[in-house]
């Protein structure tokens, strides 16, 4: 009976889920992330893409570029992610690498000691200064034009430090610095584009509920179960973002499906 109800709910949420998915792909700014999943005792991945008012989830068998394209579509707008290679098809000038993840990378470099530690300390100091200014921009106490002027020499210093790491660092540090220099344009998109954050916290926050669900349910047993999960997670996260009642929407969607009426929409409602 429970499975039958899930199947009915999944069908009722099919159209709203597709509508949200298309909305996210066309949105000018979005965050993306992925986490491990299980489907029929095989490894799978739960992907998410997040905007200011909607979130979409997909369960896919791979953590590949094809899976990222299935989630995000063609490169449209600015994408904020970590450094996972599956997102490499997105142009660097329209991508923002997460500085929270970069902090972890710098700490790993610092823990190697020696010249690596000196390099990492300098990079972390530049990061801290950057966020001190950025928080003032968000608070309205520092004009964005002034912030951009402050950031130019900081960007040059970071680029120079990464160059030093490519020459004088350990093998792992050299590799990290080389990759960051290669995608240097993706470090600073938030400086020049309104509405872009320097971290991927929005996606990590939305995917946390799904991670807790996975830890208690151990994933899904079939593709049908995965469709239910991705659709109900999409509805739950999106409705919470919009301060709308989740159970009321699910009831409305199921009634519409049973009466062959148009499905309710998960898109932001006009105020």
């Amino acid at each position: 009976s429970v499975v039958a109800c899930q199947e009915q709910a999944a069908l009722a949420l099919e159209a709203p889920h597709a509508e949200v998915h298309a909305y996210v792909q066309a949105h000018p700014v979005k965050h993306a992330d992925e986490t491990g999943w299980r489907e029929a005792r095989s490894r799978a991945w739960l992907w998410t893409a997040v905007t200011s008012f909607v979130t979409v989830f997909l369960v896919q068998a791979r953590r590949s570029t094809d899976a990222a394209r299935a989630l995000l579509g063609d490169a449209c707008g600015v994408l904020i992610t970590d450094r996972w290679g599956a997102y490499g098809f997105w142009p660097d000038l329209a991508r923002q690498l997460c500085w929270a993840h970069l902090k972890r990378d710098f700490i790993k470099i610092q823990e190697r000691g020696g010249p690596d530690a000196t390099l990492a300390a300098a990079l972390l100091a530049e990061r801290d200064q950057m966020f001190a200014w950025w928080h003032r921009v968000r608070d309205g106490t520092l004009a964005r034009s002034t912030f951009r002027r402050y950031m130019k020499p900081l960007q040059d210093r970071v680029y120079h430090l990464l160059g030093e790491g490519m020459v004088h660092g350990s093998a792992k540090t050299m590799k990290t610095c080389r990759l960051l220099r290669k995608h240097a344009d993706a470090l600073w998109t938030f400086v020049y584009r309104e509405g872009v954050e320097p971290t991927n916290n929005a996606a990590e926050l939305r995917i946390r509920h799904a991670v807790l669900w996975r830890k208690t349910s151990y994933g899904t047993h079939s593709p049908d179960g995965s469709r239910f999960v991705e659709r109900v997670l999409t509805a739950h996260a999106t409705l919470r973002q919009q301060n709308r009642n989740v159970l009321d929407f699910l009831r409305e969607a199921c009634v519409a499906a049973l009466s062959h009426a148009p499905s309710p929409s998960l898109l932001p409602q006009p105020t």
Side-chain angles (χ1 to χ4, degrees):
S1 297
V2 171
V3 172
C5 289
Q6 289 180 342
E7 290 175 352
Q8 289 183 329
L11 287 173
L13 292 173
E14 182 178 9
H17 180 269
E19 188 179 34
V20 165
H21 194 184
Y23 177 91
V24 169
Q25 290 184 341
H27 203 269
V29 179
K30 51 214 156 208
H31 300 249
D33 201 5
E34 73 291 328
T35 188
W37 195 258
R38 304 289 295 181
E39 182 182 287
R41 299 186 180 180
S42 297
R43 188 68 182 270
W45 296 90
L46 179 68
W47 293 74
T48 187
V50 179
T51 71
S52 300
F53 292 105
V54 305
T55 295
V56 66
F57 287 91
L58 288 181
V59 177
Q60 303 191 80
R62 298 287 182 265
R63 196 189 182 196
S64 63
T65 297
D66 288 343
R69 287 183 182 274
L71 173 72
L72 300 166
D74 295 330
C76 172
V78 176
L79 177 65
I80 305 159
T81 68
D82 56 25
R83 293 197 298 118
W84 180 240
Y87 304 109
F89 70 96
W90 212 272
D92 283 344
L93 289 174
R95 186 178 173 195
Q96 175 62 55
L97 295 179
C98 175
W99 275 89
H101 284 80
L102 291 177
K103 179 181 179 180
R104 299 171 203 171
D105 292 335
F106 296 158
I107 290 174
K108 288 179 182 178
I109 293 174
Q110 190 174 43
E111 291 172 348
R112 293 172 191 146
D116 284 8
T118 303
L119 171 71
L123 288 169
L124 287 167
E126 299 292 355
R127 178 203 172 275
D128 291 345
Q129 179 60 77
M130 179 192 79
F131 271 99
W133 289 333
W134 174 249
H135 292 153
R136 290 183 57 195
V137 172
R138 296 186 63 180
D139 294 342
T141 59
L142 181 67
R144 182 171 284 271
S145 58
T146 305
F147 173 65
R148 290 171 178 166
R149 189 171 69 251
Y150 286 175
M151 283 296 296
K152 186 61 176 70
L154 186 148
Q155 291 171 238
D156 293 339
R157 291 194 298 270
V158 169
Y159 192 82
H160 176 73
L161 288 169
L162 294 175
E164 288 187 358
M166 291 170 57
V167 176
H168 303 295
S170 64
K172 290 183 178 180
T173 297
M174 290 172 64
K175 180 179 179 181
T176 299
C177 291
R178 188 180 303 112
L179 288 172
L180 290 177
R181 280 270 290 236
K182 179 180 178 181
H183 299 286
D185 288 334
L187 297 176
W188 314 112
T189 304
F190 78 100
V191 178
Y192 303 103
R193 298 216 187 183
E194 297 278 353
V196 178
E197 291 285 330
T199 71
N200 199 30
N201 291 347
E204 293 191 349
L205 177 64
R206 299 298 169 217
I207 211 168
R208 189 175 301 161
H209 176 75
V211 171
L212 295 175
W213 188 356
R214 180 197 66 205
K215 289 181 177 179
T216 55
S217 69
Y218 306 105
T220 48
H221 287 288
S222 68
D224 287 343
S226 294
R227 299 297 79 76
F228 169 76
V229 164
E230 64 189 20
R231 292 170 188 175
V232 78
L233 283 175
T234 295
H236 176 268
T238 297
L239 294 166
R240 292 290 296 272
Q241 282 176 265
Q242 299 174 23
N243 293 317
R244 295 165 64 187
N245 188 283
V246 178
L247 290 179
D248 286 350
F249 180 90
L250 294 178
R251 185 184 301 109
E252 184 180 353
C254 290
V255 169
L258 291 171
S259 58
H260 304 288
S263 301
S265 176
L266 283 169
L267 299 186
Q269 303 297 304
T271 57

